[in-house]
Amino acid sequence: MCAVALFMHAFVYSQSVNNRYSSHIGTGGLVFFFNPTKVLINRTDIVREFIYDMTYNLKSDSLTLNFTVVSECDIVEPAIRFNSEINGFELNNIKILYVEKHKGNYIYRFTSRVLYADMESAFRGSLPMKIELVVNDSVITAQYGKRKWKKEVKTMSEIFELIEMQKKML
């Protein structure tokens, strides 16, 4: 009965995060999928669009960050840095998942692992987080608008709270 009540609470609670995530039980345990988020960039020929999503695996306590970059040119060995008023970190070991061409642009899909604690703390600040993409020797900045950041911090803190509740149950 208690497990059902906890599940129901999580379901009701998830309504307040506006379908920003989904969770399911897979072979590796409980998985949280953070739906794709488009972040404003200083648009250039090198990077025209930046979108990211995340997957958190409770059992392995691992966070995978996938990101899509739309570009007019070939991208070689990108780097990505997250900077917030709380912390800053750089992704290591970025791997390309695929590249395709659409309407004259290249659409790249990359993946990397991130420490859960780093990403969780990046969403605690009141100032919008900056995401710097280093692409072909150029630094392109992606950043949330102030209003969107305020909503994102509230939503992400609710999701991270659910993850922490699930961790306690292990």
Side-chain angles (χ1 to χ4, degrees):
M1 182 72 171
C2 183
V4 172
L6 287 173
F7 175 74
M8 298 266 306
H9 174 72
F11 177 74
V12 171
Y13 193 32
S14 71
Q15 298 302 310
S16 67
V17 294
N18 299 318
N19 297 321
R20 181 65 176 85
Y21 86 101
S22 61
S23 63
H24 67 276
I25 297 176
T27 57
L30 186 61
V31 174
F32 286 80
F33 176 72
F34 297 74
N35 295 333
T37 300
K38 188 175 185 176
V39 183
L40 296 174
I41 60 166
N42 56 335
R43 191 176 166 134
T44 67
D45 290 343
I46 297 171
V47 176
R48 303 178 76 61
E49 197 170 69
F50 175 77
I51 302 166
Y52 75 94
D53 61 74
M54 299 182 291
T55 304
Y56 174 74
N57 185 300
L58 186 67
K59 187 174 182 181
S60 64
D61 195 29
S62 64
L63 187 69
T64 300
L65 180 102
N66 298 313
F67 59 99
T68 301
V69 176
V70 178
S71 175
E72 287 186 357
C73 56
D74 188 27
I75 294 176
V76 181
E77 297 182 22
I80 187 168
R81 294 186 292 254
F82 288 80
N83 295 303
S84 74
E85 64 185 299
I86 307 293
N87 72 348
F89 58 94
E90 187 168 336
L91 297 185
N92 296 313
N93 200 19
I94 296 173
K95 296 178 179 142
I96 188 166
L97 295 174
Y98 66 82
V99 62
E100 60 187 28
K101 197 158 186 176
H102 180 70
K103 295 183 180 179
N105 291 310
Y106 294 99
I107 301 171
Y108 288 88
R109 185 76 165 149
F110 297 99
T111 189
S112 185
R113 295 287 178 131
V114 183
L115 290 175
Y116 169 80
D118 284 345
M119 190 59 79
E120 187 271 335
S121 65
F123 281 96
R124 279 194 250 140
S126 59
L127 298 175
M129 174 174 54
K130 289 183 183 175
I131 304 168
E132 296 177 330
L133 290 99
V134 181
V135 178
N136 302 353
D137 298 324
S138 295
V139 178
I140 294 93
T141 303
Q143 187 170 6
Y144 286 87
K146 287 181 182 179
R147 223 179 279 144
K148 185 174 180 180
W149 177 249
K150 190 175 179 178
K151 289 179 185 176
E152 189 74 352
V153 165
K154 182 181 182 314
T155 300
M156 294 299 281
S157 66
E158 290 177 6
I159 297 169
F160 289 133
E161 183 181 349
L162 289 173
I163 289 171
E164 293 301 322
M165 289 169 62
Q166 292 294 330
K167 282 180 167 184
K168 288 177 186 176
M169 296 172 64
L170 289 181

